[in-house]
């Protein structure tokens, strides 16, 4: 009986050891990333209307550049921003500027994409200084985040240079649903978004 109990205890310890644990230092490392990029796919759905596109996002010390391209160039646009404001260039090379990326995107394209929150959410982080409810899985990774009227669910993580970063997430607000699949993360990219 003692042998069986010892065996079960050893198996329990081995099972616990197999789960990767996320420490507070891990979250700090994700928050301190100031040069990163990813390539992926985004789909937006509002009631019966849907749209999907390729998405490339580059971040360099607070400046960012998003390039969105749909099938055959449909709904293609580039959105770039910094602390002073944002600029959107549409598929017809028309340029729009504003202070707020979310409002500008909604005004020009008609779509709701929470760019300001996604800057943090894509790294598995809550926006600092904004009330949030966070749920974590057994490994300590964020599994659900409620913030700024959005519900963000993390379906998959991937290991990138020693960090566990989201690979697939869903964002919902009212009748708007956004699904993001990140195919490739690039950390410590050296070129600026303009290059």
């Amino acid at each position: 009986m003692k042998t069986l109990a010892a065996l079960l205890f050893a198996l329990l310890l081995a099972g616990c050891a197999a789960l990767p644990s996320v420490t507070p230092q891990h979250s700090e490392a994700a928050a301190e990333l100031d040069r990163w990029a990813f390539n992926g796919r985004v789909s937006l759905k509002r009631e019966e209307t849907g749209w999907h596109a390729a998405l490339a996002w580059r971040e360099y010390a607070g400046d960012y550049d998003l390039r969105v391209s749909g099938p055959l160039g449909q709904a293609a646009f580039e959105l770039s921003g910094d602390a002073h404001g944002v600029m959107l260039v549409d598929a017809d090379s028309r340029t729009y500027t504003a202070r707020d990326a979310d409002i500008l995107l909604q005004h020009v394209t008609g779509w709701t994409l929470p760019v300001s929150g996604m800057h943090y959410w894509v790294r598995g982080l809550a926006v600092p200084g904004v009330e949030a409810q966070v749920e974590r899985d057994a490994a300590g990774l964020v599994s659900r985040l409620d913030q700024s009227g959005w519900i963000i669910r993390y379906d998959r993580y991937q290991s990138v240079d020693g960090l566990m970063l989201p690979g697939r997430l869903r964002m919902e607000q009212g009748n708007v649903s956004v699904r993001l699949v990140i195919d490739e993360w690039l950390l410590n990219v050296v070129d600026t978004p303009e290059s």
Side-chain angles (χ1 to χ4, degrees), residues 141-160:
L141 297 166
V142 175
S143 58
R144 176 177 166 152
L145 173 63
D146 294 19
Q147 191 171 44
S148 303
W150 287 88
I151 298 171
I152 303 96
R153 292 183 175 89
Y154 295 84
D155 298 329
R156 185 180 72 216
Y157 280 82
Q158 54 193 303
S159 179
V160 183

Side-chain angles (χ1 to χ4, degrees), residues 6-136:
L7 179 60
L8 289 174
F9 183 69
L11 287 172
L12 178 64
L13 286 178
C16 291
L19 288 174
S21 69
V22 176
T23 65
Q25 290 78 18
H26 178 277
S27 296
E28 289 171 14
E32 290 174 3
L33 288 173
D34 69 346
R35 292 179 301 185
W36 50 270
F38 70 75
N39 299 310
R41 295 161 282 147
V42 63
S43 61
L44 292 88
K45 186 175 181 184
R46 183 175 53 226
E47 296 175 347
E48 300 304 314
T49 306
W51 173 78
H52 64 277
L55 171 62
W57 185 315
R58 297 182 88 66
E59 184 93 17
Y60 183 85
D63 296 354
Y64 61 88
D65 181 69
L66 283 75
R67 295 180 184 174
V68 176
S69 56
L72 304 175
Q74 295 175 352
F77 65 86
E78 182 175 352
L79 181 71
S80 55
D82 58 26
H84 306 292
V86 292
M87 179 176 69
L88 187 148
V89 180
D90 69 12
D92 297 318
S93 299
R94 291 177 297 218
T95 301
Y96 305 86
T97 59
R99 292 280 305 151
D100 184 285
D102 299 358
I103 292 172
L104 179 62
L105 194 58
Q106 169 73 34
H107 174 73
V108 175
T109 68
W111 285 101
T112 301
L113 188 66
V115 174
S116 54
M118 285 175 63
H119 166 77
Y120 293 94
W121 300 339
V122 297
R123 291 178 285 154
L125 304 168
V127 177
V130 179
E131 185 178 350
Q133 294 180 335
V134 180
E135 295 178 12
R136 297 182 182 274

